[in-house]
Amino acid sequence: TGAASEGPIGYAQQSNQAQAKAEQTKPEVMEKSPRYQELLGQGFSPEVARGKVAAETADESGKYAGIVDASVNLVGGEFLGRVLAEGGKFVTRVMKGAANEAATETVQSAGEQVGDNLATKNNIDPNQSLSEGTGEAAVQGLAVGGLTGGVVAGALGGGWAAQDPTT
């Protein structure tokens, strides 16, 4: 169920962030957007064209994030579930949980950023670099994922799968 929920959650979060970012695009950058120019040519007002480009960018960015998040969680979530269910020594399970979530969140965060950059490149700024901000996103994912994975594995990794439910 983790991967199934990660996709829609990733979509929603990234879509909201991308919408806000796209709406703040400088007018001189938006003017260079082929999609914006196409909409103006179709008779849309500048305000409506700008809003439509922002909405399309947000939707595309959200889709990329949803795919990345669900795919990566399909693997990472499975491993963390095993760490929690198996239990074991506190330090060992904290380290396993931290390592797993650090890796998962690093890939997800960098992937979300690449997707956002691609959506921006496709809809707003053809010169947008696909790698812009990916290093920072990866480091943030590494730090937050490692911390939360370790805490969760330490706090909840009591090994309930090994316990006899009848006692």
Side-chain angles (χ1 to χ4, degrees):
T1 61
S5 65
E6 278 281 327
I9 291 169
Y11 170 87
Q13 289 175 335
Q14 189 62 37
S15 180
N16 286 337
Q17 289 174 4
Q19 177 85 29
K21 180 179 146 195
E23 288 173 352
Q24 295 175 2
T25 299
K26 294 178 182 176
E28 59 270 15
V29 173
M30 188 63 76
E31 289 289 329
K32 295 177 185 172
S33 163
R35 179 65 178 139
Y36 177 76
Q37 292 300 324
E38 178 186 339
L39 292 169
L40 291 177
Q42 293 175 4
F44 288 93
S45 71
E47 295 78 23
V48 172
R50 184 178 180 82
K52 189 161 176 54
V53 169
E56 290 172 355
T57 303
D59 183 56
E60 185 176 335
S61 181
K63 287 176 182 173
Y64 293 138
I67 291 167
V68 168
D69 290 357
S71 300
V72 173
N73 189 268
L74 192 60
V75 176
E78 173 78 20
F79 182 77
L80 184 59
R82 275 190 266 134
V83 169
L84 297 177
E86 290 170 359
K89 294 184 179 183
F90 178 78
V91 173
T92 301
R93 72 174 188 260
V94 167
M95 296 303 289
K96 285 181 180 179
N100 176 71
E101 276 303 293
T104 298
E105 290 297 330
T106 297
V107 174
Q108 284 180 332
S109 296
E112 290 168 357
Q113 185 62 51
V114 170
D116 186 56
N117 291 341
L118 182 56
T120 299
K121 183 179 186 79
N122 289 341
N123 295 289
I124 298 173
D125 183 2
N127 298 316
Q128 174 65 50
S129 165
L130 295 182
S131 63
E132 182 179 323
T134 57
E136 180 181 341
V139 169
Q140 288 174 350
L142 176 78
V144 172
L147 178 64
T148 57
V151 168
V152 168
L156 302 178
W160 60 81
Q163 297 173 1
D164 181 355
T166 61
T167 59

